[in-house]
Amino acid sequence: MGKIRKTITEKLRNADFVIVSAAAVISAALNFCFTVLARRYVPPLEYGIYSTCLLLQTYLSYAQLGVLNAYNRDYPQLAGAGQEEKLGDLKNTAFTFFMGIYVLLTIIIGVVLEAAYLSGSFKKEYYIGYMLSMLLLIVNTLSDFGMNTMRMEGGYHYTALVTVIRTMLGAAVGLIAVRVSGYYGLYVMPAISGLAAVLLYYGKTLKGIRLQINKSILAECLRTGFPLMVNSFVWTAVASIDKFVILGFMDTKALGIYSVAQLGFTAMVLIPQSVSQVFYIKISRDYGRTGDEGLLVRACSRYTCINSICTSIICVAGYYVLPVFVKIVMPGYMSGIEAAQIMLIGIAIYGSTMLYGNIFSILKRNKDLLWTSIALCLFNIIFSVGLVSIFGRNIENVAIGTATSYAAFSLLLVNKISNGFEERKIVLLKSSWMPVFVSVFPTIVLYYLIPNIYVGIILSVIYLSGISLLMIKVCKIEK
């Protein structure tokens, strides 16, 4: 009986990525449904204002100066090395620092916004949106801190459950709020979702944290985490470039229409991100025990193949379903469908090499992380601005530029890993790009060749089932 229990437990551990991925799929589907249904009650202009206000929350999150980046990197390695006392000091220090910084910023910026609003500098929608965005920053950072800590302590199954619960509750309450108050109700969904997660993680990872700072640990986190934060900041800039290009070359309404593409990207990118995070923790722990760089790269390549297959399947599903869904539920945003489909292709390519970038993080090669991210930022600016300037000011050209920049970055990353760790490029591409090309592009051809979308879906499912099994065999995925 004990042997059976042990076997079941081991199989559940090995299924971590499946469980987390399933939760991410459910969460992505619920988020997708909410944001699509919300657009029935919020016109493109107001949704553009909402997207603009959230930029404040996004960029203020970097006020933690890299402490949380260092925390997420060092915690699993310390756990793998069995340094329990240092784990507690690290958790207390990181929590105390980011909470102090964010609360202080909320007060200061709140006063500035109040004065600016009273002077008539901007509209009421922007004022309330910015104020709520700052409060959401604190709630979401707390929930992310709890989730990341739980995962790093091995609680993948619990985080999967919390992910589903928080999204279901947030979507349900948020949709009611949007129907009642329109634009302002958009902020209710992330607020309820974040608060639910904080409550659920409180007894598991947040309870018992002491408000104290270990100066030596904080100094080390700032020293090694700041470059990681700069790298993340550059990534945030990359994710915002398309928005700034649209606001600069077009208008807020166009940004609202483009939110369909952002919706597709945000919902679908959760899959490769969640899978990568699980594998990141696994390979980080392994590296903490062995210190073998060659083993790290080989394990990363194997897990990359799994991630590429999962990402390709979900992106193909989105490519087929998104147009039908938008047409039925939010016809006012139909002009954003093509841009959204282009972005889905970009996600498939981007997700295929996502895990490779974690090698630099684990090895603390911060300069490599920073320069590759800066390269992506430059790629995005050049391609997006260039295409809009040459071929016309429309959101489709912005989407093509963004997707192309992800492809260029992906190749750059493969080249750096190959040169830095003496791994053949063909091996890295076989695990990353090959599953995407043999899965995504043939099914997109079917999408345009077959008039009946339902027949196209059936044929794509059959094709993807067969090609996925073949890819697993070709990539030699082992247990």
Side-chain angles (χ1 to χ4, degrees), residues 293-294 296-297 359-360 363 365 368 412-425 428:
E293 292 186 3
L296 171 66
V297 175
I359 293 176
F360 296 135
L363 298 178
R365 294 176 58 165
D368 289 319
L412 175 64
L413 194 57
V414 166
N415 185 66
K416 287 192 71 67
I417 296 293
S418 176
N419 294 337
F421 300 95
E422 298 181 355
E423 185 69 61
R424 290 185 303 158
K425 294 182 179 66
L428 299 174

Side-chain angles (χ1 to χ4, degrees), residues 244-286:
F244 289 127
V245 170
I246 291 172
L247 289 173
F249 286 87
M250 292 165 247
D251 53 31
T252 307
K253 183 177 180 180
L255 181 60
I257 296 294
Y258 187 74
S259 65
V260 177
Q262 294 173 318
L263 163 66
F265 183 88
T266 302
M268 297 303 175
V269 82
L270 283 174
I271 311 304
Q273 282 180 342
S274 298
V275 176
S276 292
Q277 189 171 25
V278 172
F279 290 150
Y280 170 78
I281 295 171
K282 287 179 180 291
I283 62 178
S284 184
R285 281 178 173 269
D286 290 341

Side-chain angles (χ1 to χ4, degrees), residues 150 153 158 197-208:
M150 193 72 206
E153 293 177 352
Y158 187 77
V198 170
L199 292 175
L200 290 169
Y201 285 125
Y202 177 75
K204 298 286 185 178
T205 58
L206 300 177
K207 186 178 181 180

Side-chain angles (χ1 to χ4, degrees), residues 70-370:
Y71 174 78
N72 292 333
R73 180 200 61 205
D74 294 342
Y75 198 96
Q77 294 188 39
L78 291 173
Q83 299 184 33
E84 298 297 330
E85 183 177 348
K86 196 170 183 180
L87 280 177
D89 290 339
L90 177 62
K91 181 188 288 187
N92 292 334
T93 299
F95 180 88
T96 304
F97 184 79
F98 85 75
M99 279 299 294
I101 291 292
Y102 287 162
V103 170
L104 180 62
L105 277 176
T106 298
I107 295 172
I108 294 174
I109 296 178
V111 172
V112 173
L113 286 172
E114 179 72 18
Y117 174 65
L118 293 176
S119 67
S121 298
F122 44 71
K123 295 167 61 176
K124 179 181 179 182
E125 290 83 359
Y126 284 100
Y127 166 67
I128 295 178
Y130 284 134
M131 295 289 281
L132 291 174
S133 293
M134 290 188 300
L135 297 177
L136 288 176
L137 170 64
I138 296 176
V139 173
N140 289 337
T141 305
L142 275 173
S143 65
D144 288 344
F145 185 84
M147 178 189 69
N148 291 334
T149 303
M150 193 72 206
R151 283 183 177 176
M152 291 185 290
E153 293 177 352
Y156 301 108
H157 301 171
Y158 187 77
T159 61
L161 177 64
V162 172
T163 297
V164 174
I165 292 175
R166 67 178 290 181
T167 310
M168 289 179 64
L169 186 61
V173 177
L175 190 57
I176 294 172
V178 169
R179 293 185 65 177
V180 172
S181 56
Y183 162 75
Y184 299 107
L186 292 171
Y187 298 92
V188 173
M189 192 277 189
I192 295 297
S193 177
L195 287 172
V198 170
L199 292 175
L200 290 169
Y201 285 125
Y202 177 75
K204 298 286 185 178
T205 58
L206 300 177
K207 186 178 181 180
I209 293 178
R210 296 191 297 272
L211 295 178
Q212 62 182 37
I213 290 179
N214 182 308
K215 293 182 180 179
S216 62
I217 289 179
L218 177 60
E220 179 67 12
C221 286
L222 289 169
R223 185 183 68 82
T224 63
F226 187 77
L228 292 175
M229 186 215 69
V230 173
N231 175 69
S232 297
F233 179 83
V234 173
W235 272 96
T236 298
V238 169
S240 306
I241 285 172
D242 51 358
K243 300 174 187 176
F244 289 127
V245 170
I246 291 172
L247 289 173
F249 286 87
M250 292 165 247
D251 53 31
T252 307
K253 183 177 180 180
L255 181 60
I257 296 294
Y258 187 74
S259 65
V260 177
Q262 294 173 318
L263 163 66
F265 183 88
T266 302
M268 297 303 175
V269 82
L270 283 174
I271 311 304
Q273 282 180 342
S274 298
V275 176
S276 292
Q277 189 171 25
V278 172
F279 290 150
Y280 170 78
I281 295 171
K282 287 179 180 291
I283 62 178
S284 184
R285 281 178 173 269
D286 290 341
Y287 181 72
R289 286 194 295 266
T290 66
D292 189 333
E293 292 186 3
L295 181 63
L296 171 66
V297 175
R298 289 192 295 273
C300 189
S301 183
R302 183 171 67 253
Y303 290 140
T304 288
C305 191
I306 301 174
N307 200 16
S308 295
I309 293 170
C310 295
T311 305
S312 297
I313 292 173
I314 201 68
C315 286
V316 169
Y319 202 94
Y320 274 87
V321 173
L322 183 67
V324 178
F325 202 73
V326 172
K327 183 178 181 180
I328 295 174
V329 180
M330 47 185 225
Y333 290 78
M334 283 185 62
S335 54
I337 290 175
E338 188 176 344
Q341 289 178 314
I342 294 169
M343 288 295 290
L344 288 176
I345 299 174
I347 293 171
I349 297 173
Y350 163 60
S352 70
T353 53
M354 186 180 289
L355 198 57
Y356 287 149
N358 290 332
I359 293 176
F360 296 135
S361 177
I362 292 171
L363 298 178
K364 300 183 180 181
R365 294 176 58 165
N366 297 329
K367 288 184 179 179
D368 289 319
L369 272 175
L370 180 59

